[in-house]
Amino acid sequence: MALQDRLDAFKADFEGGKPPRNVPPEVVAIMHRATAELTASGQAARAKHAGDKAPDFALNDPDGHPVRLRDLLAQGPLVASFYRGVWCPYCNMELQALQETLSEIEARGARLVAISPQTPANSRKSVRDNHLGFPILSDTRGAVAEAFGIRFALPDYLIELYKGFKNDLPTINNDPSWTLPMPARYVIGADGIIAYAEVNPDYTKRPDPSELLPVLDRLRTRAAA
């Protein structure tokens, strides 16, 4: 099943109030309002896009080891997926879909990393729960997401909703700010130039990982020419 089909099925159950979630319509309306406002802000269009130079970064993996963009690119193209955190079911489904495509990504000479603002302990939980074979990097205080133009502040009414859900982002991320990255996926060529970018203010919409493969094929062909 394609990733978006899985996400749509989950969303239908969640917003339909099916047990065990039983989400009331007023909560769904608040979530829709927040998504609509973020979309209307135009921030996604201002984020880094194909043709831009990727911002350099050095982030720790769950074991505290630094991972540098330049070192990853020295091995070939990089697929970087920004996601919100282990508490987000849509993000977890995306991570699982990326894992299913990992062998095809690596067969094309590319690496895959996921980036979130959460603490290393929560990154380790993401790896365990989703049975991942690629690293999750901790973007402390969202500095890298900010550099890519995808970090945003939650409105007050959404913060109150998240508190009701027990999604305590300041604790999950060890960051007092209530900020998150918009879900985004980038393919960065070995030259540091972004070859593919997908940024969506609607966290329930994610491109299928199979869309990455033609991009990686083109980069491999270009490198061999």
Side-chain angles (χ1 to χ4, degrees), residues 90-206:
Y90 297 92
C91 298
N92 290 325
M93 283 187 275
E94 179 182 16
L95 292 174
Q96 293 161 20
L98 286 167
Q99 176 63 36
E100 292 167 4
T101 315
L102 178 60
S103 62
E104 295 183 81
I105 292 172
E106 292 179 337
R108 289 161 171 80
R111 302 288 299 278
L112 170 63
V113 299
I115 300 172
S116 85
Q118 64 191 358
T119 62
N122 285 309
S123 292
R124 289 192 291 270
K125 179 173 171 55
S126 284
V127 171
R128 289 194 307 270
D129 289 357
N130 295 295
H131 308 288
L132 304 181
F134 56 90
I136 292 177
L137 309 181
S138 292
D139 182 16
T140 306
R141 304 295 172 102
V144 176
E146 182 73 27
F148 275 82
I150 61 175
R151 182 173 179 256
F152 71 98
L154 276 65
D156 290 342
Y157 65 85
L158 191 60
I159 291 174
E160 292 307 310
L161 182 66
Y162 274 36
K163 288 179 178 177
F165 283 163
K166 308 300 183 185
N167 288 339
D168 182 5
L169 298 188
T171 298
I172 294 169
N173 299 336
N174 193 26
D175 178 1
S177 72
W178 284 82
T179 57
L180 287 173
M182 286 184 285
R185 198 180 300 159
Y186 291 95
V187 175
I188 305 170
D191 58 1
I193 301 301
I194 297 170
Y196 169 98
E198 172 65 29
V199 180
N200 201 322
D202 184 347
Y203 60 89
T204 70
K205 304 294 183 184
R206 317 279 175 115

